[in-house]
Amino acid sequence: MKSSRTLGLVMIAPAAIMIVLFFLMPVVLTAVFSMTNMTTATGISGGAYQIAPSSLNTLKSVMPDIADEMAEPRYAIDEAGLKAVEGLGLAPGIAAELRAKHAGEVFPTRREAERMLKDLAERPSTREVKQISEQFNRSIVNTRFDSKGQLFSALDTLGLKLTPAQKETVARASYTGWTWTTDNFSRIATSPDMARVLFNTALYVALVLTLFNVGYALLLAIWTHYMPPRPASIFRGIWLLPRITPVVIYILLWKWLAWDSGFISVLMGKFGYPAKNYLLDTAYNAWFFVVLINGFIGASMGMLVFSSAMKAIPKSQFYASEVDGASRWQQIRYIILPQMRWPILFVTCYQTLSLLASFNEILLATNGGPGNTTEVWALAAYHTALRNYAGNLEYGLGAAMALVLVVIGVTLSLLYLRVFNYRTLVAKPLIED
């Protein structure tokens, strides 16, 4: 017994590893990224500290006086500037006197620095004063610091007297890397664009699921169930074509049908109608084609599942019902549908999760257009995190949107289990003594 149990664990180990690596880990990483503000600007690794114009604008709202001081250059008599003065070829006493009397001093304006230079014993000329002062021109604007300590040291060197709290405020405003935050979920909850995308997703899933993935698939399965075996197999094979066709070719066929140079425009042109792109002409047309494109793919899978389930129904039940004079509708109502609860539950759950996560067909067909009217949640997450026209990819926000999709999928799955009374479906059969 122990050896067989060990063998079972060894056999299931590869599957368990695959589940952890390709299912659990992506979900965990998505949850981690959703709690950050990662973007193209911040990168995915540690950032630096840089007082950029955007940082100054942020600081002006909380400490305007200090932000103004940081924006202006200051003149610091440091060793680097003194060596530069020595290289100008001026009187050697100028650099020596500056090092002896003024090293470490910081002047807030150029005028004050030049007034000090004019009072030197060597008395440099006006042109030389301009040259010398320029060697001590220091600014932290657009200067990159690798650590918070380097930033604070530069602030102290320039004579900017900041409290520890003010320094931390400057550090937060100037940090170019990512930080931990929950703002992504606040944006999702308050953005009207997100509400519209959520509505589009609910409409998309509801229409495709009810009309095609479950409704039409069940209808196809019932039709083929009453057909002779050979024609039924051919019919099912035809309906499998949308699923087995590569998605790019499949969408190109639809575009050939609906584009301004496609079949519909050519046909309507025979009746005097001008050519137009029926796929993207109006939001109504776009939704019509999106539902059809995805519906034909989903209906094929549901048809196979339902057809297989119907074949498992004992034929004796149909024979007995025919003897009792039952019609086709009565067989469907009292024999087929009651025994299809489990297949319908499976297809509904599976196809709901599939529709929530899929966006390839919409991306290739409409790319969410016209005017984002067909933008569903998964496609919006893709555009946000991996591809958008603005160029600044928001990884954290996209991950938060994906995590919301996971929560919605789990919630709907639990709801389906409750509606279809899952416990009854899997309960042990009652055997009478």
Side-chain angles (χ1 to χ4, degrees):
M1 179 65 71
K2 183 179 294 185
S3 61
S4 62
R5 183 178 301 174
T6 303
L7 180 61
L9 293 176
V10 171
M11 295 294 291
I12 202 174
I17 293 173
M18 296 290 286
I19 290 174
V20 171
L21 290 180
F22 298 104
F23 178 74
L24 295 180
M25 283 300 296
V27 174
V28 171
L29 290 176
T30 298
V32 171
F33 290 149
S34 69
M35 304 298 291
T36 70
N37 65 341
M38 284 186 186
T39 64
T40 304
T42 66
I44 61 174
S45 59
Y49 297 87
Q50 184 173 355
I51 308 295
S54 58
S55 306
L56 292 174
N57 290 334
T58 302
L59 291 172
K60 283 182 179 180
S61 62
V62 291
M63 42 186 189
D65 295 338
I66 294 177
D68 291 338
E69 289 184 27
M70 294 172 61
E72 296 296 331
R74 301 172 81 86
Y75 294 81
I77 311 302
D78 54 18
E79 189 59 29
L82 291 171
K83 290 183 178 180
V85 171
E86 291 174 346
L88 294 177
L90 304 177
I94 295 178
E97 185 177 357
L98 286 173
R99 183 177 284 107
K101 297 182 178 180
H102 302 285
E105 292 185 12
V106 179
F107 299 89
T109 64
R110 183 167 188 160
R111 176 175 296 182
E112 294 184 21
E114 291 180 351
R115 185 181 298 120
M116 177 273 295
L117 293 174
K118 291 177 181 179
D119 292 337
L120 295 176
E122 294 289 343
R123 298 191 62 83
S125 66
T126 302
R127 184 178 64 84
E128 292 175 338
V129 167
K130 299 292 185 184
Q131 286 182 299
I132 296 170
S133 64
E134 189 59 35
Q135 309 310 312
F136 301 108
N137 188 338
R138 301 289 181 267
S139 174
I140 60 172
V141 177
N142 292 327
T143 303
R144 185 181 179 88
F145 303 98
D146 293 331
S147 66
K148 191 185 298 185
Q150 292 180 1
L151 172 64
F152 294 163
S153 177
L155 294 174
D156 294 336
T157 301
L158 294 183
L160 294 169
K161 305 302 180 182
L162 278 67
T163 64
Q166 290 174 330
K167 288 182 178 179
E168 290 295 333
T169 301
V170 173
R172 285 194 298 270
S174 61
Y175 186 58
T176 61
W178 60 270
T179 57
W180 298 104
T181 180
T182 58
D183 290 345
N184 296 322
F185 298 99
S186 300
R187 291 178 60 183
I188 291 174
T190 58
S191 172
D193 293 333
M194 295 292 180
R196 180 179 180 182
V197 172
L198 184 61
F199 173 78
N200 289 346
T201 306
L203 179 64
Y204 165 69
V205 173
L207 289 177
V208 177
L209 185 68
T210 57
L211 295 180
F212 286 92
N213 292 8
V214 175
Y216 193 56
L218 185 59
L219 188 61
L220 287 173
I222 294 173
W223 278 345
T224 56
H225 178 75
Y226 286 105
M227 291 173 63
R230 186 175 180 82
S233 299
I234 296 175
F235 193 74
R236 295 190 191 105
I238 293 174
W239 271 100
L240 278 176
L241 290 177
R243 179 165 291 275
I244 64 177
T245 303
V247 63
V248 175
I249 297 177
Y250 179 66
I251 298 302
L252 283 177
L253 290 173
W254 279 98
K255 287 188 173 183
W256 171 82
L257 179 71
W259 272 356
D260 50 4
S261 58
F263 176 78
I264 296 178
S265 292
V266 173
L267 178 63
M268 298 303 291
K270 302 295 184 181
F271 301 96
Y273 291 95
K276 64 179 180 179
N277 189 338
Y278 286 88
L279 183 60
L280 296 173
D281 180 46
T282 63
Y284 175 82
N285 286 350
W287 272 111
F288 177 78
F289 281 103
V290 163
V291 171
L292 287 182
I293 289 171
N294 290 274
F296 287 165
I297 295 176
S300 60
M301 182 208 167
M303 175 192 65
L304 289 179
V305 174
F306 295 146
S307 297
S308 301
M310 290 179 192
K311 285 185 178 181
I313 300 175
K315 292 184 178 180
S316 58
Q317 296 184 14
F318 293 97
Y319 297 153
S321 66
E322 290 178 357
V323 171
D324 292 338
S327 64
R328 287 283 188 264
W329 167 244
Q330 289 173 324
Q331 288 181 343
I332 293 171
R333 181 178 178 183
Y334 296 108
I335 298 177
I336 294 179
L337 292 182
Q339 300 184 64
M340 295 296 290
R341 287 173 59 193
W342 177 261
I344 291 175
L345 170 62
F346 168 75
V347 171
T348 302
C349 286
Y350 179 86
Q351 294 287 27
T352 297
L353 298 178
S354 177
L355 289 170
L356 285 173
S358 68
F359 62 89
N360 297 339
E361 291 78 10
I362 300 178
L363 172 66
L364 295 173
T366 66
N367 198 24
N372 293 333
T373 53
T374 58
E375 183 98 346
V376 295
W377 197 272
L379 181 59
Y382 167 74
H383 282 154
T384 301
L386 300 175
R387 181 184 177 187
N388 60 47
Y389 295 110
N392 184 28
L393 304 178
E394 299 182 87
Y395 308 127
L397 180 59
M401 295 176 67
L403 188 62
V404 169
L405 207 58
V406 172
V407 174
I408 292 175
V410 172
T411 303
L412 288 177
S413 299
L414 295 176
L415 179 62
Y416 289 148
L417 295 178
R418 182 66 178 267
V419 170
F420 285 90
N421 200 356
Y422 175 76
R423 290 185 178 180
T424 302
L425 292 175
V426 297
K428 294 182 178 180
L430 300 176
I431 302 177
E432 296 182 358
D433 294 334

